[in-house]
Amino acid sequence: MKDLRRYLALKYIQYLVLSSSYTISTLLGLLGSAYTMVLLQSAKVSSKSTAVLISSLAQADILVFLSFVSDVVSGSFGVSPAASGLARILLTANAHVSCVLLSCVAFEAYLITFLPLESRPLRTVRNARLTSRVIWTLVAAECALFLLDDHLRASNSLGLLFQLSSGAAALLRSLSYVLGILLRIVNVYIYYKIFFSMSPRSRLKSK
């Protein structure tokens, strides 16, 4: 559907084009996600693997809403390092989940375009749900490590656990940064291939 394509375009701009989040793009993303979650409940939208991935993508913006709530609460009752750290980690989780899910949608579009028959056994609702669960689980583990590292830093702990968590968190942040760059490159390549594979067909139809 056109509305879902527009929503995906908005999300690609928000997470894979802009280098940092902006208030306008974040608010538009929240509104788009709310509309998409309602739209996906419609009987007009068939339950396919792409719809499952888009649904999980829209649900990821709940983390942004929770981050806003955390900021409002901490602003009303006094800012605490724990509350501000939690809001930051919620935004990080949202960005990481969204980037990976958008890449999954792009990869599925690539399979549909170039390997439609061969990839059909992979492009199932079950596999899409499993993929979404794995992504959420990995990002949750990542954020748990970040929370542990922030807690140990706030408590001025200097033990072995602090050294391990600090080193692991630093390594994970570096890997996340590199992965983010790679996902941007891969997504551009995929849609470049799809666009130029569709262009000759469009020219043939116009003739």
Side-chain angles (χ1 to χ4, degrees), residues 13-91:
I13 293 172
Q14 182 181 353
Y15 291 107
L16 296 174
V17 176
L18 298 177
S19 58
S20 58
S21 60
Y22 296 92
T23 303
I24 295 177
S25 64
T26 301
L27 290 176
L28 288 175
L30 281 172
L31 292 174
S33 294
Y35 174 72
T36 299
M37 283 191 282
V38 173
L39 182 63
L40 289 172
Q41 302 302 317
S42 171
K44 297 180 181 179
V45 180
S46 58
S47 179
K48 294 183 179 180
S49 54
T50 304
V52 172
L53 295 174
I54 294 175
S55 176
S56 187
L57 174 65
Q59 291 168 12
D61 269 4
I62 295 174
L63 299 176
V64 178
F65 177 75
L66 293 177
S67 176
F68 284 162
V69 171
S70 177
D71 284 338
V72 170
V73 171
S74 61
S76 301
F77 298 98
V79 179
S80 65
S84 60
L86 177 61
R88 185 181 69 255
I89 287 174
L90 286 172
L91 290 177

Side-chain angles (χ1 to χ4, degrees), residues 36 39 97 134 150:
T36 299
L39 182 63
V97 168
V134 170
D150 288 347

Side-chain angles (χ1 to χ4, degrees), residues 80-178:
S80 65
S84 60
L86 177 61
R88 185 181 69 255
I89 287 174
L90 286 172
L91 290 177
T92 299
N94 167 261
H96 290 182
V97 168
S98 298
C99 286
V100 179
L101 283 172
L102 284 168
S103 300
C104 290
V105 173
F107 180 64
E108 186 173 47
Y110 180 89
L111 293 178
I112 292 172
T113 305
F114 297 103
L115 300 167
L117 297 178
E118 297 87 343
S119 64
R120 185 171 293 174
L122 296 175
R123 295 183 287 106
T124 62
V125 171
R126 180 178 179 276
N127 286 341
R129 287 174 178 164
L130 179 61
T131 300
S132 297
R133 291 192 190 104
V134 170
I135 292 170
W136 277 97
T137 301
L138 291 176
V139 173
E142 174 194 35
C143 292
L145 178 60
F146 290 158
L147 281 172
L148 175 61
D149 183 52
D150 288 347
H151 174 72
L152 293 176
R153 287 179 185 277
S155 61
N156 296 319
S157 176
L158 298 175
L160 178 62
L161 181 60
F162 169 74
Q163 295 176 1
L164 291 174
S165 67
S166 179
L171 177 62
L172 196 54
R173 287 187 176 96
S174 298
L175 290 175
S176 298
Y177 178 77
V178 173

